[in-house]
Amino acid sequence: MKVRIIVRFKDTVLDPQGQAVRNALHTLGYTSVKDVRQGKFFEIELNKIDPGQAEKIVQEMADKVLANPIIEKYNWEIIEA
Amino acid sequence: MKFGVVVFPGSNCDYDAYHVLKNVISQETVFLWHKDRDLQNVDCLVLPGGFSYGDYLRSGAIARFSPIMSEVKKFAATGGLIIGICNGFQILLEAGLLPGAMLRNKNLKFLCQHVWVKIENNQTAFSNSGQMGQVLKIPIAHFDGNYYAPPRVLAELEKNKQIVFRYCNENGNLTEEANVNGSANHIAGLINREGNILGMMPHPERASEKILGSEDGKVIFNSIINYLEKKAVISPLPSLIETF
């Protein structure tokens, strides 16, 4: 089983790297870009387990290690059963 | 007094801290490897600067799971003194021993320069040999030193006088330019509610000898010794109503 976890800053936290990317895009002429938020992406391969158990451990891993809950939020999905 | 400098893979200020404590401040000092479980009865632990585990994931995020950290937490819970410098501060934040988190510097640059910080509370184990409002010249060297905490936590830190150092200019003014990394409320160093753990981004161990351009860092080490030798009486932090 494969899961994909996306970690990003909470909306209330400034993302200066995202802003720098936005400015670079503007410089390149992509003036329709309104805002950029950047984050991290993890692809985790798990041994075959049922989806309920996967949910439990993925959330646990994200809360404990992959994201810092003070500044970040995450979402995840199963990409390969 | 006995100091223990914790060495993580990627620590690079461990020898500087060891040198200052042993040769400049003349205290018994030992290195503690991150896999150690024995803290060798030290009076104060130093979590030094560097790039533990290559700063992978987030600065300090992996070091927090080192075997020694469970001992560090026990030591903290019994009131042991801990000072985390730079990456050591980041590790303390990730471990939840201090509140808040670090973001990338506001200008997205690695900053390596002398800065000035002002003593905001000299009634702590780490600042009692300094004067209130005293301006210290101490260098920083970090990418992620932009301190962040939610407004409610910042208000608690202010109320409880947990902010020990703030970035300021040479004259002690809290100007925006002086807050080089963009830290919330200019926070350069703070203590936990119990007052036995300090985290600070500036490197006092790099500013403890005249030849290095400043001896102001000694204020911090001398304060720790004063406190441990009970020469300094510290008034307790204001009572706490809310918990983080």
Side-chain angles (χ1 to χ4, degrees):
Chain A
M1 177 188 275
K2 231 181 213 174
V3 296
R4 178 183 292 153
I5 303 159
I6 295 175
V7 176
R8 66 192 99 194
F9 284 125
K10 287 179 178 172
D11 298 335
T12 47
V13 175
L14 260 177
D15 175 12
Q17 292 182 91
Q19 286 176 352
V21 173
R22 181 198 60 199
N23 295 345
L25 292 171
H26 284 173
T27 310
L28 286 172
Y30 297 103
T31 48
S32 56
V33 173
K34 216 169 127 191
D35 196 16
V36 176
R37 305 281 287 172
Q38 70 155 47
K40 287 178 195 135
F41 155 88
F42 302 87
E43 221 170 70
I44 296 182
E45 217 176 317
L46 297 168
N47 291 327
K48 255 199 164 8
I49 49 172
D50 69 86
Q53 209 183 343
E55 176 171 356
K56 188 177 165 280
I57 66 163
V58 167
Q59 289 185 355
E60 217 175 271
M61 292 189 296
D63 289 331
K64 270 192 199 164
V65 195
L66 304 179
N68 179 338
I70 299 169
I71 47 175
E72 294 168 327
K73 59 180 183 177
Y74 64 88
N75 52 355
W76 70 281
E77 58 181 337
I78 295 171
I79 52 170
E80 220 179 275
Chain B
M1 292 300 147
K2 189 171 175 182
F3 286 79
V5 179
V6 180
V7 183
F8 296 97
S11 294
N12 68 4
C13 302
D14 41 353
Y15 276 83
D16 305 52
Y18 181 89
H19 162 70
V20 167
L21 291 165
K22 193 170 185 200
N23 304 319
V24 181
I25 314 284
S26 306
Q27 301 295 312
E28 186 184 354
T29 309
V30 292
F31 283 122
L32 301 168
W33 181 233
H34 76 115
K35 284 186 174 164
D36 287 352
R37 295 273 183 186
D38 176 12
L39 299 185
Q40 298 186 35
N41 290 316
V42 297
D43 299 297
C44 178
L45 276 175
V46 181
L47 271 55
F51 300 85
S52 57
Y53 296 89
D55 275 352
Y56 296 162
L57 191 61
R58 293 178 306 277
S59 304
I62 313 277
R64 138 187 188 217
F65 297 106
S66 277
I68 201 168
M69 286 307 290
S70 52
E71 300 307 314
V72 171
K73 282 187 174 173
K74 280 184 214 158
F75 183 74
T78 56
L81 286 192
I82 303 176
I83 171 171
I85 299 164
C86 197
N87 189 227
F89 186 7
Q90 293 164 338
I91 295 168
L92 291 172
L93 292 170
E94 283 284 344
L97 289 169
L98 288 172
M102 286 298 176
L103 299 172
R104 190 126 288 189
N105 296 340
K106 68 176 175 189
N107 62 1
L108 300 175
K109 290 193 170 97
F110 186 94
L111 295 170
C112 185
Q113 63 193 71
H114 268 99
V115 296
W116 287 271
V117 296
K118 192 173 172 175
I119 299 181
E120 291 283 321
N121 180 357
N122 71 345
Q123 294 293 301
T124 80
F126 308 94
S127 58
N128 59 72
S129 74
Q131 303 296 314
M132 274 301 278
Q134 188 179 341
V135 176
L136 307 176
K137 184 187 173 195
I138 304 180
I140 54 165
H142 60 247
F143 214 152
D144 302 303
N146 180 353
Y147 180 78
Y148 171 87
R152 192 181 62 85
V153 175
L154 287 175
E156 285 285 306
L157 292 175
E158 294 285 355
K159 195 179 78 193
N160 299 333
K161 301 191 190 305
Q162 284 173 253
I163 298 157
V164 184
F165 304 112
R166 277 190 229 266
Y167 297 107
C168 63
N169 66 14
E170 203 172 349
N171 303 315
N173 299 316
L174 304 178
T175 60
E176 209 187 316
E177 310 82 74
N179 190 21
V180 286
N181 52 24
S183 288
N185 298 20
H186 290 238
I187 293 172
L190 60 90
I191 49 174
N192 60 339
R193 288 180 299 149
E194 292 75 16
N196 62 317
I197 305 175
L198 171 83
M200 65 186 293
M201 288 314 288
H203 287 268
E205 81 283 8
R206 295 189 190 178
S208 291
E209 288 162 287
K210 221 172 218 155
I211 196 170
L212 298 178
S214 169
E215 291 184 288
D216 292 351
K218 277 159 86 174
V219 166
I220 288 115
F221 300 119
N222 287 332
S223 296
I224 295 172
I225 292 159
N226 279 347
Y227 177 81
L228 290 171
E229 291 178 350
K230 308 211 186 319
K231 284 180 192 154
V233 183
I234 305 302
S235 55
L237 293 171
S239 61
L240 301 147
I241 303 147
E242 231 178 307
T243 52
F244 286 115

